[in-house]
Structures are given as C-alpha cells and as structure tokens.
Amino acid sequence: MGTDLSAKPFDQLDRGRYRRKVQRCLDTLARMLTDGSFSFPRKNIGLEVELNLVDGQLRPSMTNTAVLEALDDPSFTTELGQHNLELNVPPRPLAGDSALQLEDDLRAYLGKASAKAADAGSTLAMIGILPTLRQEHFDQKWLTNNARYSSLNDQIFAARGERIALSMDGAALPGEQPERLRSFAESILPEAACTSVQLHLQVAPEEFAAHWNAAQCLAGVQTALAANSPFLLGKALWHETRIPLFQQATDTRPEELKNQGVRPRVWFGERWITSIFDLFEENVRYFPGLLPQTDTEDPIETLESGQAPKLTELRMHNGTIWRWNRPVYDVVDGLPHLRVENRVLPAGPTVVDIVANAAFFYGAQRALAEQERPVWTQMSFQAAEENLYAGARKGFEAQLYWPGIGWIPPDELALRVLLPLAHEGLRRSGVSDEARVKYLGVIERRCLARRSGATWQRDYVLRVQDRGADRETALNRMLGRYLELSAAGEPVHTWSLTD
C-alpha cells in the first residue's frame, strides 16, 4: 500500500491483466518457498505508529502535508486522513538492549514530530481513536491528497454500492446504560479514525505458520490488555472500538453478500495454517483486486535470472486485505524475506506502554510457537476469533477461552500463563534482563491495576460527567488531560483520575 498509483481510472482490461499477474506472483512465491530462496540472517523486528494531529480546540487538525514537509524525514509518511501521520521505525534485531533503544528512538522521533507539528499549530495525539472526531470529519474532502487513497475510497464504494453503515452496541460505563451507535459514512474516512501500532517480526519460512498461529491465539488478550479506543462520535462503545470500526469502514459487502457468507476484507481468518502460502493463496482465491495496477516485471523470469522478484501485484493485493495478523513478503537490499505483521494494537497511550506491548507480544509469541504441543492444536480457530472480539469489547471484564483453563479474565490469563511464557520467550531471543524485566513489569502492573488507556478514558469521562458536564465537554477535558499525561511519559497504569 506504500506504492503510488496512477491517477487514471481502472477498466475491465486492467482487472483481467491484474488477476493474471497476481496469480503469476503467487506461482513465483510457491516456487521460492520450495527452492529455499529466502534470506534469514536473524530475527529483525519493526514497528509502525499511526498518529493524530489536533488543533488548539483538540479537534482534528488537517495539517499532515505541512507537518511532513517540515519534518522532511522518510521515517514519517502520510496516512488516509489529513489529520494522520505514520511513523515507520527502522528495523532492528530483537536481542540485547534493542527494546531500550527502541524506546529512546521512539521518544526522539515523536519529539521531533511534536516540534514540527507545533510550528503548524497542531499537537500530536497518540491514541486509538480520537474522541473529538465528529461526523463532519468523515467528509471525503479530508482524504489525504494522494491517488492511492482516493482510488481505494472509490473502489470500496463501487464494490459496496451503498453508504458505509457504522453499527455498534457499546460496553456500558459503570452505573450507566449501554450506548449504541447507528450512523452512516459516504467515504472510508472512518478508517482514518483507527490509529494503531503495527508490530513486525521477520521469520524463516518454515517458522512462519507457528508464529502466525501463535499471534492469532494472542490477539484477544493483547487487545484486552492494551485497549485504548473507547469513544467514537460521542458514544462510549467497545474498549477497543477500532476493531469493529475498521472492519465496518472498509467493508465492500452489502447486506446480501454478508448473508451469503462472503468474507470481509478486514479478516481474522478461518483456519490454522501450515505455511505462509496458505494465507496468500486465500487472499488470491477469495478477494477481487481493489487497486488493479500492474508493472512490467515477469516475476518468474526475474527469479530465474537469480534476482529477487518484487511481486508487486501480490503485495498490493495483500495491502488491501487487512488481516489482524498479516503475512508480508518484502525485498530489502535485493534479498527477499517474510514477516508477520501484528495489527490488533492501538496507538498509545505512552511510548513505554507501546514498547511493553511489543515485548509482551514478541516474548509470548515465540514461547507459544516453540511449545511441543502447540496451544492452537488444543483450541478451535473460532475460539481464538471470539477471544479477539470479547477482549476488544469488554477489556479487563472479558472472559477469554484458554486450553487447560477454560474461561478466564485477560489479566489473570496474562499473570498466570502468558507473562511467564513471555519472559521465557524473550530469554530465548537473547533480550537483556534489564529490558525484559522493565517492559514485562509494565504489563504485570497494568494487569494488577486493571488500568488500560480505555479504562482510564472511560473512568475520567464518567467522573467529569458526574460533576455536571455534558459528554462533549467531558471528552474534550479528558483528551486534554490524556495528552498531558501521554507527554509526561509514565505508563498508563500509574495515571490518576485527578486533574
């Protein structure tokens, strides 16, 4: 999705040509997997953070072009909405003190971006969903001025044939009745409301399936412990409202296709896998191309010449199917490699929370992937998917299924089972004791306090409302205090509800 597109509209010939080229890319990938064509010197990790820009009234600030021009840094790029930026942190090994350096680097990048944003009259907000968004901010005119985004918007609506429906039933605030959202959008900009952290792990082809399956098992508890998106359009909804919002905002299916069982493009999947090829093959088999642009490379000829094929069309296709754990094929310095991209986490609340979430994921993922009797052989795929939605909806109040235990709250699951596994996984990965103890300690104390970004936001808004403020005022005051505490940098489990 990082590739620029031609501004010309797509026609029927483009779609046929694209379908054939995607299949040829898939055939090439199959050959590469069989021939052992992949480079794997070490397990590198990578991280992307999506950011919001807000103005002096804490409303979305449509200034990403000005901020990016001032930054003049290739680590920062556009995102879908004009109030969004994305930071791509350079990849690094997982071992040693890498996590400590990652924290320092994130602070430096965000400090630089904050200074340039301030020059443009804006402030960075690192949060899962900006709580001051209004329906007017979903107007198509606020799409970032890039052919890729406008084409994506047009193609999704052409496939769907009607407005996007946003429909969610919320988890009730303490002492309150559940709230419901019923709304429509005439652009895909509700997707821009979903700002996330994406974790990448480079893996060898023979290890990919175990790491992907492990990531699927972890999705529910990850989301419950790190939830940071409880409000949308003034409503208290899921603890991690990003999960249903992203699915609905990019849904190409009208109701009739949903009723037929057509798969959504934001997808958990439907089965455990034995190879990364399973995921790419499903993508090609089930999903039509949204951005059917082709290049001139013949990937099989490139491979036979001894070079790494770009597989441009397969990668573009993969970028328009938003699996919560996505397979990635990439070429760096002429060498092809594979990655698992974990996409369930929201941005924020602080840098240390983000690095702690990453350490927990990488450690637990490795430990689960290397178990003699893998956990995914003991639970249904449907149970893992239900865990994701339960964790996203109810946060710490969710009941998750885990083999050998049954139903268990996410904090207890983490404390009893997954944190010990995460410690072991990070040890096996060569992570320093200092980094391992620091970041997994943050997760442990978050579980003991039962305080995530979502619980803090919900409790703060309720407290301000109990003092007589209306919802809009409460959300604005909450966001102002959130930004102060986020900038101060102490992990969210330490945040007070007092001003």
Side-chain angles (χ1 to χ4, degrees):
M1 282 301 294
T3 305
D4 287 333
L5 296 180
S6 166
K8 78 176 185 68
F10 303 116
D11 59 26
Q12 294 175 358
L13 292 177
D14 290 327
R15 295 185 184 283
R17 190 181 305 116
Y18 179 82
R19 180 179 288 114
R20 292 188 295 273
K21 189 71 180 291
V22 168
Q23 184 61 54
R24 191 158 179 84
C25 288
L26 185 66
D27 295 342
T28 306
L29 176 64
R31 214 159 127 178
M32 294 176 74
L33 291 167
T34 301
D35 295 346
S37 301
F38 287 92
S39 164
F40 188 72
R42 58 186 175 181
K43 276 190 169 72
N44 273 347
I45 60 170
L47 184 146
E48 303 170 51
V49 185
E50 295 167 349
L51 305 162
N52 292 284
L53 293 162
V54 296
D55 61 21
Q57 286 72 49
L58 304 184
R59 303 292 184 194
S61 177
M62 308 301 180
T63 54
N64 66 352
T65 299
V67 175
L68 285 169
E69 288 176 354
L71 276 166
D72 191 26
D73 184 338
S75 297
F76 290 91
T77 185
T78 58
E79 253 299 329
L80 183 66
Q82 292 183 30
H83 67 285
N84 299 137
L85 300 175
E86 181 176 275
L87 166 61
N88 296 282
V89 180
R92 63 201 63 215
L94 177 57
D97 286 332
S98 181
L100 298 169
Q101 187 60 52
L102 175 61
E103 181 184 347
D104 290 342
D105 289 352
L106 270 173
R107 291 188 194 281
Y109 278 117
L110 294 174
K112 178 181 176 182
S114 292
K116 298 302 183 183
D119 291 342
S122 301
T123 300
L124 286 186
M126 193 164 60
I127 192 168
I129 291 178
L130 195 62
T132 51
L133 279 165
R134 294 177 174 174
Q135 190 75 40
E136 66 204 57
H137 299 124
F138 296 157
D139 191 298
Q140 186 173 342
K141 68 181 179 181
W142 300 124
L143 283 169
T144 293
N145 185 22
N146 183 300
R148 179 171 78 249
Y149 302 128
S150 58
S151 294
L152 185 64
N153 182 83
D154 294 346
Q155 294 300 312
I156 286 176
F157 272 86
R160 184 181 175 87
E162 60 191 39
R163 295 184 299 171
I164 286 170
L166 304 178
S167 176
M168 292 161 226
D169 295 327
L173 293 171
E176 302 283 320
Q177 292 297 311
E179 299 177 26
R180 305 173 68 196
L181 176 67
R182 300 290 185 271
S183 184
F184 291 93
E186 297 185 5
S187 78
I188 61 169
L189 273 169
E191 181 191 334
C194 306
T195 42
S196 65
V197 166
Q198 292 141 39
L199 304 177
H200 293 254
L201 179 68
Q202 185 178 344
V203 292
E206 63 272 14
E207 297 176 348
F208 186 93
H211 280 78
W212 187 85
N213 289 341
Q216 294 286 91
C217 293
L218 289 169
V221 70
Q222 276 185 281
T223 306
L225 300 185
N228 197 30
S229 313
F231 293 99
L232 174 65
L233 299 181
K235 304 287 189 179
L237 299 171
W238 294 23
H239 284 240
E240 191 48 40
T241 304
R242 272 179 52 256
I243 300 298
L245 177 59
F246 198 94
Q247 182 164 338
Q248 294 177 19
T250 53
D251 203 340
T252 57
R253 307 168 304 163
E255 288 300 320
E256 294 79 5
L257 292 185
K258 293 179 189 178
N259 294 337
Q260 293 175 39
V262 172
R263 293 158 180 85
R265 296 189 85 100
V266 176
W267 199 30
F268 188 76
E270 59 192 17
R271 62 185 173 119
W272 306 117
I273 65 167
T274 58
S275 166
I276 188 174
F277 187 80
D278 295 346
L279 301 177
F280 281 110
E281 191 273 335
E282 284 180 348
N283 287 356
V284 173
R285 179 155 40 110
Y286 294 143
F287 298 101
L290 278 183
L291 302 173
Q293 180 169 297
T294 57
D295 69 10
T296 58
E297 180 191 64
D298 183 313
I300 290 179
E301 289 182 2
T302 301
L303 181 64
E304 290 176 344
S305 73
Q307 297 177 295
K310 298 192 294 290
L311 305 187
T312 303
E313 294 78 12
L314 188 67
R315 291 162 68 192
M316 176 65 78
H317 192 57
N318 190 50
T320 62
I321 299 155
W322 295 275
R323 292 178 184 267
W324 293 113
N325 286 293
R326 178 190 270 168
V328 177
Y329 168 90
D330 206 354
V331 179
V332 177
D333 297 329
L335 297 174
H337 71 258
L338 305 174
R339 302 196 303 269
V340 179
E341 181 189 15
N342 177 254
R343 302 171 52 81
V344 301
L345 292 170
T350 67
V351 168
V352 71
D353 284 306
I354 287 173
V355 180
N357 292 337
F360 175 71
F361 173 71
Y362 290 131
Q365 182 193 36
R366 173 160 186 171
L368 290 175
E370 294 180 352
Q371 285 181 324
E372 287 188 19
R373 188 184 177 201
V375 66
W376 56 89
T377 66
Q378 306 168 59
M379 68 189 294
S380 69
F381 193 87
Q382 183 182 10
E385 182 176 19
E386 289 173 354
N387 280 351
L388 170 63
Y389 294 119
R393 183 166 188 170
K394 294 188 175 181
F396 288 113
E397 300 303 318
Q399 290 288 317
L400 307 182
Y401 177 78
W402 199 258
I405 296 175
W407 299 99
I408 184 171
D411 48 314
E412 187 178 345
L413 176 58
L415 291 168
R416 283 175 51 185
V417 178
L418 294 175
L419 274 168
L421 286 173
H423 277 284
E424 181 57 31
L426 293 181
R427 285 191 197 96
R428 292 184 202 166
S429 300
V431 173
S432 71
D433 288 345
E434 181 184 357
R436 176 179 56 80
V437 170
K438 175 179 180 179
Y439 297 116
L440 295 185
V442 169
I443 301 297
E444 179 181 10
R445 291 188 292 275
R446 192 190 300 164
C447 290
L448 293 171
R450 302 192 97 215
R451 168 143 293 165
S452 63
T455 61
W456 183 88
Q457 289 187 55
R458 285 161 59 92
D459 290 347
Y460 196 97
V461 165
L462 192 59
R463 173 177 167 272
V464 175
Q465 288 182 179
D466 287 344
R467 293 180 172 183
D470 60 20
R471 175 60 60 81
E472 183 176 0
T473 301
L475 289 172
N476 197 276
R477 286 180 56 185
M478 179 274 287
L479 180 57
R481 183 60 177 151
Y482 176 102
L483 295 178
E484 292 172 1
L485 292 168
S486 180
E490 292 301 314
V492 71
H493 70 265
T494 68
W495 288 13
S496 167
L497 294 174
T498 57
D499 295 326

